[in-house]
Amino acid sequence: MKRKDALEDVKRLQASSLGYVLIRCGQLFNELGMQAVNSEAGYPMMREVHARMLPYLENPDGVRITELARSLGVTKQAVQPVIAELAEFGAVRIEPDPDDARARRVLLTEKGIAAMRHGTTKLVEIDRRVAKRLGADETRELHGLLTRLLEVLKAQD
């Protein structure tokens, strides 16, 4: 099969895949959200790696660095510089794990929680722009379906 034909075949397969469409929508939402945050800040403070990591830090008890690395599918050594960046910014703090003296936990700080809240408000602004194009009813329906899908996917864990 020629390269052009093979790529067209991939595009057809992608168009038929719910997962692919969701991933692309998520990527685009993420890019638009980061652009909004960075534009407002006046410099690139938010990076893809931060956006990818933050949902794993929402546990009030924090998360072990090794668990965080495992969840992200990277090594502990790959996670540590990003954690150090977030700690330097004041978004997280690193504490000894009370259950294992050799381990350390990463916890969101008040500043980190405020940053997540701020970033989420940027996503809500994008939601509103999308709703103007899709319509309020379709947007509500889409949100409901995606919320249910998220519950189904989380239950797979």
Side-chain angles (χ1 to χ4, degrees):
M1 183 180 280
K2 291 184 180 178
R3 186 174 188 274
K4 183 178 177 183
D5 293 336
L7 287 172
E8 286 302 318
D9 187 51
V10 169
K11 286 181 184 179
R12 279 190 297 277
L13 186 60
Q14 290 170 338
S16 72
S17 168
L18 173 63
Y20 178 81
V21 172
L22 285 170
I23 288 167
R24 283 301 294 143
C25 286
Q27 288 169 333
L28 292 172
F29 251 92
N30 192 39
E31 289 169 14
L32 290 169
M34 285 190 304
Q35 285 172 6
V37 167
N38 291 338
S39 175
E40 191 174 273
Y43 65 97
M45 67 180 289
M46 181 73 163
R47 296 186 306 129
E48 171 69 31
V49 68
H50 301 140
R52 176 101 169 87
M53 186 177 290
L54 287 173
Y56 294 100
L57 300 175
E58 292 177 1
N59 184 333
D61 297 327
V63 62
R64 284 185 182 174
I65 292 175
T66 52
E67 291 171 15
L68 182 58
R70 190 176 319 113
S71 295
L72 293 167
V74 297
T75 65
K76 182 178 161 185
Q77 292 76 15
V79 166
Q80 287 174 323
V82 180
I83 297 289
E85 254 180 47
L86 291 171
E88 187 176 316
F89 175 65
V92 300
R93 70 177 183 271
I94 304 164
E95 297 181 351
D97 188 320
D99 300 326
D100 182 349
R102 299 166 298 162
R104 296 180 301 154
R105 286 191 166 278
V106 181
L107 294 99
L108 281 171
T109 62
E110 291 303 315
K111 185 175 182 178
I113 294 167
M116 285 184 72
R117 182 180 294 113
H118 179 72
T120 304
T121 63
K122 295 301 171 191
L123 294 176
V124 170
E125 290 171 14
I126 296 165
D127 293 348
R128 289 185 187 123
R129 292 195 320 250
V130 168
K132 285 181 182 176
R133 305 279 304 272
L134 287 179
D137 290 341
E138 282 188 275
T139 302
R140 245 188 321 279
E141 182 180 359
L142 178 60
H143 185 269
L145 288 170
L146 290 174
T147 300
R148 285 181 41 213
L149 177 61
L150 183 59
E151 292 168 3
V152 167
L153 294 173
K154 280 183 176 180
Q156 300 287 321
D157 292 343

